[in-house]
Amino acid sequence: MKFAPLILLTLAASASAFAPVGSRPSFISNSALNANVQKLSDPTKEVLDKTDVFIFDCDGVIWRGDSLIPGIPETLQKLRDLGKKMFFVTNNSTKSRAGYKKKFTSLGLDIPAEEIFSSSFAAAAYLEQTKFKETGKKVYIVGEVGICEELDLIGVPWTGGPEDAGKQPDMGPGGRLEHDENVGAVIVGFDRFVNYYKIQYAQLCINENPGCEFIATNLDAVTHLTDAQEWAGNGSMVGAIKGCTGQEPTVVGKPSPLMIDYLCDKLGLERSRICMVGDRLDTDVLFGTDNGLQSLLVLSGVTTEEKLLSPENSITPDYYADTINDFFAAVPVPK
């Protein structure tokens, strides 16, 4: 795969970015303030002049399902014309970075591979940082091809994934499912073909293999498989494994700080000049507020204005807008 040298190089350079949580700087989270949220009204003053780097979520911001949100290509080009750097960070682990590059291209967007970060890549980077390969063990995957491709790029052996789609364990009298005792980690990512076989295999590895680590790409409750409705997200798959193991996973996708630590370490970015833009409060906005970034919520995805402004919501972005196209909307003239 032609992206292998790039990814291996960046992984090798990123070890210090994945430092233990206790060694990272702490930030006061705006999510605890429950302040009134302002809708974007003067984008140049409120966002563009304050931001050098935009981190965009993908589902609900750039596209919905397999449909590009209207106006996005023009808006991204205007940002590039202003000299803004951009990164696209998705919690969806079904594709590798190379796979997402193909999706961007299929939607008519020319996005360099080095600007794309998926939670499948984050899982591989986490294994690199923890020197998992040196243990000589393998990974069991509840998930799709994206995780498999990223692990192949770093030379970590795996089992499961798409190969276990459609399998059924023997549940007759005396039936049992044999599992590989050399599995040292279970990665759970979004899986449209999740089944009882995979859940049982994962719980056996976690419960019976000493030291087996439970890793989740994300805990998203819902996702956009299509633009017609919301679909159960990876939180449902992770919840099944949590329920039968009693274990909490290590989460490598948003709002975990792993990816922003990686970006800041690799590129020397100033956190206060980065704006996280997403459609989810509990992942995208929390990723921004908890890591010292600016944050902006768009209403083009899963979060409604009613939910954002509800008294029950305590996660507050700096601003919100209908879509990122509002970055270049005309500023109303004062009367």
Side-chain angles (χ1 to χ4, degrees):
M1 186 176 294
K2 65 181 180 179
F3 297 107
L6 168 64
I7 295 177
L8 288 173
L9 176 62
T10 55
L11 281 171
S14 66
S16 61
F18 293 87
V21 173
S23 66
R24 301 189 191 104
S26 60
F27 299 94
I28 297 175
S29 172
N30 290 334
S31 61
L33 301 180
N34 197 23
N36 292 326
V37 188
Q38 297 182 39
K39 192 165 188 179
L40 199 64
S41 61
D42 188 346
T44 298
K45 179 180 178 181
E46 294 164 344
V47 176
L48 297 178
D49 285 349
K50 299 178 181 178
T51 304
D52 298 325
V53 179
F54 285 94
I55 298 178
F56 293 112
D57 179 42
C58 295
D59 283 334
V61 178
I62 306 300
W63 59 66
R64 298 188 196 94
D66 289 322
S67 301
L68 186 68
I69 294 175
I72 294 301
E74 294 80 5
T75 292
L76 296 181
Q77 186 56 54
K78 289 177 182 178
L79 289 172
R80 292 191 190 280
D81 291 344
L82 290 175
K84 308 299 183 184
K85 293 180 180 178
M86 288 179 279
F87 295 97
F88 301 85
V89 177
T90 175
N91 265 356
N92 191 328
S93 63
T94 58
K95 296 179 177 65
S96 62
R97 297 213 299 180
Y100 274 107
K101 167 66 176 171
K102 292 178 181 177
K103 178 165 184 174
F104 276 106
T105 301
S106 73
L107 293 173
L109 297 173
D110 184 16
I111 305 297
E114 58 268 22
E115 292 182 355
I116 304 169
F117 292 84
S118 63
S119 61
S120 53
F121 169 77
Y126 174 76
L127 294 181
E128 278 279 288
Q129 186 271 329
T130 57
K131 303 187 186 311
F132 180 84
K133 185 177 179 180
E134 296 178 9
T135 68
K137 295 185 177 295
K138 64 182 68 172
V139 172
Y140 182 71
I141 297 173
V142 178
E144 301 189 22
V145 68
I147 301 171
C148 307
E149 290 178 352
E150 294 292 356
L151 296 192
D152 285 342
L153 288 173
I154 62 171
V156 169
W158 56 270
T159 185
E163 295 178 356
D164 285 352
K167 288 186 178 180
Q168 295 183 347
D170 177 8
M171 293 179 283
R176 58 183 287 117
L177 177 60
E178 300 295 338
H179 74 286
D180 191 333
E181 296 180 356
N182 197 41
V183 169
V186 172
I187 297 178
V188 181
F190 184 70
D191 191 338
R192 287 166 289 189
F193 308 98
V194 67
N195 54 34
Y196 191 66
Y197 180 97
K198 295 181 181 183
I199 294 171
Q200 172 65 358
Y201 201 105
Q203 78 86 7
L204 288 172
C205 292
I206 294 170
N207 285 338
E208 298 187 9
N209 292 0
C212 183
E213 187 167 7
F214 176 18
I215 301 167
T217 59
N218 67 85
L219 301 178
D220 292 0
V222 294
T223 190
H224 284 116
L225 289 182
T226 70
D227 58 1
Q229 63 180 182
E230 294 178 352
W231 298 77
N234 193 47
S236 62
M237 289 87 185
V238 175
I241 308 304
K242 286 174 60 176
C244 57
T245 63
Q247 301 295 316
E248 290 291 332
T250 296
V251 181
V252 296
K254 297 172 295 184
S256 164
L258 296 182
M259 283 194 275
I260 191 61
D261 287 351
Y262 170 83
L263 283 170
C264 288
D265 180 76
K266 176 175 179 285
L267 301 174
L269 303 179
E270 182 181 344
R271 289 174 188 257
S272 64
R273 301 286 297 177
I274 302 173
C275 184
M276 175 66 214
V277 181
D279 68 320
R280 296 175 185 268
L281 292 165
D282 59 350
T283 54
D284 301 322
V285 173
L286 203 60
F287 179 72
T289 59
D290 283 358
N291 290 290
L293 316 179
Q294 302 173 63
S295 61
L296 185 140
L297 180 87
V298 289
L299 303 178
S300 49
V302 301
T303 304
T304 63
E305 188 173 41
E306 180 181 11
K307 180 177 180 180
L308 170 65
L309 302 179
S310 167
E312 286 74 38
N313 173 43
S314 62
I315 303 175
T316 57
D318 295 306
Y319 294 96
Y320 73 102
D322 293 325
T323 74
I324 65 170
N325 298 326
D326 291 351
F327 287 166
F328 297 99
V331 178
V333 178
K335 295 181 180 180

